Amino acid sequence: RGRRPEGLPYTPWRLLEHMRIAQWDIVEFCHDARHVSPPYPEGYWPTELAPPHDRAWHQGLMALADDLERMVQMVRDPGRDLFEPFPHGQGQSLLREALLVADHNAYHVGQMVALRRLLGLLPTNHLPPDDVG
């Protein structure tokens, strides 16, 4: 969780925390007009390479899942207009922010899979042989 392959600026922990912070920020923006985002970019990336304790990894995963569920509930709420811009934003709508969460998470999940493979943490028996293609 705290190992970093040579040449990469992040570890699994840093990726997880970045995803959690960014998603939380987007969800809070949609939920609370008074929300203040962290400073960019330093507020979106943890400085630690590894979790501070064993529970932190699980807590990060649970927070990511909880905030994703909050976004899903906002999108499913029939009282919310997916297309109406937020009065406190700069043209953002709930649909745009939900798509941003999906896109951002997909990008970083892909990075996490590649990172795990580089670190030897992902089984390769499901991958095609190197000479295919």
Side-chain angles (χ1 to χ4, degrees):
R1 296 173 184 165
R3 290 176 40 211
R4 177 176 59 190
E6 186 176 330
L8 289 181
Y10 46 82
T11 63
W13 172 250
R14 289 192 80 206
L15 276 178
L16 173 64
E17 279 296 280
H18 170 70
M19 289 173 59
R20 183 192 62 76
I21 293 165
Q23 180 178 265
W24 165 82
D25 182 45
I26 295 165
V27 170
E28 284 301 310
F29 168 80
C30 295
H31 175 73
D32 183 358
R34 297 174 311 241
H35 172 68
V36 177
S37 294
Y40 182 82
E42 64 275 5
Y44 291 85
W45 287 95
T47 56
E48 307 85 17
L49 294 179
H53 48 77
D54 289 340
R55 290 183 329 273
W57 181 263
H58 180 71
Q59 290 168 337
L61 288 173
M62 296 312 305
L64 193 66
D66 289 346
D67 282 335
L68 182 57
E69 180 60 26
R70 288 177 60 209
M71 177 58 84
V72 167
Q73 292 306 315
M74 282 189 275
V75 168
R76 287 184 175 168
D77 182 349
R80 298 200 63 157
D81 184 342
L82 293 175
F83 303 100
E84 183 178 339
F86 293 109
H88 58 279
Q90 299 172 334
Q92 300 97 324
S93 67
L94 182 56
L95 178 61
R96 179 196 179 276
E97 297 304 297
L99 292 172
L100 180 61
V101 164
D103 183 60
H104 188 262
N105 284 355
Y107 178 82
H108 289 301
V109 166
Q111 283 184 310
M112 186 72 79
V113 170
L115 181 59
R116 289 185 65 207
R117 186 169 180 207
L118 287 171
L119 291 170
L121 302 173
L122 191 65
T124 58
N125 59 350
H126 66 283
L127 298 173
D130 288 337
D131 61 347
V132 172

